[in-house]
Amino acid sequence: MATTPTPTTTKSDTPPPRSVLRDVAFLRLWAGTTASGLATWALPFVLGLAVLHRDLGAAGLGLVLAARTAGFLAAVAVGGVLADRHSRRAVVLWSALAAAVAAPLLAAGLGRSLVLMTAAAALAGAGQGACRPAFQALTAETVAPEQRQQANAAMTMAVRSSTLAGPALTALLAAFLDVWTLLLGIGLLWLAAALVPGKGVTGTTAADPAAEPAPRAGFRREFLDGIHEARRHPWFLAGLGALVAVIALGYSATSVALPLISRDRYDTEWVLAAAMTAYTVGALGGAVVIARWRPRSQGWAAFAGLAAYGVAPLSLMLPVHPVVVVAAYAVAGIGIELFNVPWFTATQREVAPDKLARVSSLDFLVSYGLAPVGLALIAPAIDAFGVTAVLGVCAAACFLVPAAAALVPTARHFARTAPATTD
């Protein structure tokens, strides 16, 4: 009697992707990034405590913070070139060590030498700036492509958590420790950022030992090569333009107007504190959502998220209940991460791997570099035209510029070619 063979069940040979949060190499990188974020956000607060304790004057505080910003902007482009030219792990190590060395120098100059503190702050900013593109490129080396969106969401959650935990933890420790000791603690955080991350392995290729090393181009040539690579991706240039509009106009306007409106319209500091907290909490929520969500048109969804920042200046224009202002800031925070995470992931995917750090450095250089310009111009504009008119223009820019950027070719998917659809 013939028997009918038992039908075989087809099983996928590919196991389900393991969570990036179970990857030790990524967790080490995440821990280093978190340490650097805590150190970055704690420093201005500690220096503010130095002003309260009369170890540093208000003018001195402005000079020291300006030096840190200048060091950041000067080093971020250099760091991008170095991270593409040499080991990204080595760039993270030495730049974080430079920031770690700056912390005891700041402590040594406290109350004694403003010149030393200014130089140390510039060194701290340079270490921070050189770290940023190297960390971004090291993420692409450490994490497999299918896990990068989840990894970038975890990274941005670390950054947003640092904005809350850094000042809060510093305020708690300030009850028991003096400013000098807190500055040394910041140095220890940078030391952790230097030593904890491991070496990236994913997506790297070993060089042919028989091949002769190609001669390196000069620094200027390699930086220009990074700009040329960025220009190959219209979606990247469009996104950079939209970021500039939102940061230099929208974020700058709300940074200046929110304290004024909290004081003059609502007669309380609660609105200022609640709105800023809601923005950070909203950003954390947005990162959680985008870690799992894969929209079909990720570029359009990301630009919509970026445009959502416009509700923040819009809420400040109108005589609404303060809860509406707080809710608007929460929406703005959610939207900013719905943009940031796909933006970082697409950059890691689309940009040539050997130019990734340079392109990332352009992102940080332009977005961070123009923010002080916006802050410097918003206050005179408010004096000249009034806060309502300035907020209206900035809100319109936040809505319209990302919408225009979404119309640029390749912007729909943040890719030169549309992704293949699967049934």
Side-chain angles (χ1 to χ4, degrees):
M1 177 177 174
T3 59
T4 304
T6 304
T8 58
T9 58
T10 303
K11 294 185 178 179
S12 173
D13 294 332
T14 304
R18 192 170 120 180
S19 171
V20 73
L21 299 179
R22 298 174 61 189
D23 186 332
V24 174
F26 171 74
L27 290 178
R28 291 178 62 183
L29 180 62
W30 180 88
T33 304
T34 302
S36 70
L38 287 171
T40 297
W41 288 102
L43 182 58
F45 191 85
V46 173
L47 293 175
L49 291 176
V51 174
L52 293 178
H53 295 168
R54 301 186 185 281
D55 293 321
L56 184 66
L61 174 63
L63 182 62
V64 169
L65 292 179
R68 187 178 77 145
T69 301
F72 176 92
L73 294 175
V76 71
V78 176
V81 173
L82 292 178
D84 281 339
R85 178 180 284 192
H86 305 291
S87 162
R88 277 111 185 222
R89 178 65 188 88
V91 173
V92 167
L93 172 66
W94 291 108
S95 55
L97 285 177
V101 168
L105 293 178
L106 281 166
L110 188 65
R112 298 182 183 89
S113 172
L114 183 58
V115 173
L116 177 58
M117 290 193 71
T118 302
L123 180 62
Q128 177 193 347
C131 267
R132 293 301 295 270
F135 268 129
Q136 183 77 359
L138 194 57
T139 301
E141 288 187 1
T142 303
V143 180
E146 64 273 12
Q147 294 179 309
R148 286 178 188 163
Q149 184 151 324
Q150 186 184 21
N152 286 318
M155 286 293 195
T156 197
M157 288 178 67
V159 172
R160 297 300 179 183
S161 299
S162 298
T163 65
L164 290 176
L169 182 60
T170 303
L172 178 63
L173 293 175
F176 308 97
L177 304 173
D178 57 20
V179 174
W180 194 86
T181 305
L182 291 173
L183 286 171
L184 294 184
I186 289 174
L188 291 177
L189 286 172
W190 276 115
L191 190 62
L195 300 179
V196 170
K199 184 178 180 181
V201 292
T202 298
T204 58
T205 56
D208 183 1
E212 294 186 9
R216 302 294 315 200
F219 177 89
R220 178 177 176 274
R221 179 67 263 169
E222 292 203 351
F223 181 74
L224 292 176
D225 285 345
I227 296 177
H228 178 72
E229 173 65 20
R231 292 174 59 188
R232 290 181 56 243
H233 306 279
W235 63 266
F236 181 85
L237 297 181
L240 206 54
L243 267 176
V244 168
V246 170
I247 293 175
L249 294 177
Y251 189 81
S252 297
T254 54
S255 296
V256 174
L258 178 60
L260 299 176
I261 290 172
S262 181
R263 180 196 65 192
D264 298 338
R265 181 187 299 168
Y266 300 108
D267 194 27
T268 176
E269 296 176 354
W270 175 85
V271 177
L272 170 62
M276 296 309 298
T277 302
Y279 178 78
T280 302
V281 172
L284 287 170
V288 171
V289 170
I290 201 62
R292 296 290 182 183
W293 183 39
R294 301 294 188 273
R296 294 177 63 89
S297 301
Q298 67 166 350
W300 285 359
F303 280 125
L306 185 62
Y309 192 88
V311 301
L314 189 62
S315 71
L316 297 178
M317 290 175 56
L318 307 173
V320 295
H321 193 278
V323 172
V324 176
V325 175
V326 175
Y329 269 80
V331 170
I334 293 170
I336 205 72
E337 293 309 333
L338 295 183
F339 174 84
N340 279 340
V341 174
W343 171 258
F344 292 143
T345 305
T347 303
Q348 293 162 350
R349 182 188 66 241
E350 296 293 316
V351 170
D354 62 328
K355 298 180 178 66
L356 176 56
R358 276 170 282 179
V359 174
S360 296
S361 72
L362 289 174
D363 179 7
F364 297 126
L365 183 64
V366 172
S367 56
Y368 280 86
L370 292 180
V373 177
L375 287 170
L377 296 178
I378 289 297
I382 289 176
D383 290 338
F385 304 106
V387 67
T388 301
V390 171
L391 287 172
V393 169
C394 292
C398 290
F399 291 132
L400 296 177
V401 176
L407 301 178
V408 170
T410 73
R412 178 175 181 175
H413 300 288
F414 277 172
R416 291 170 66 91
T417 58
T421 58
T422 57
D423 295 331

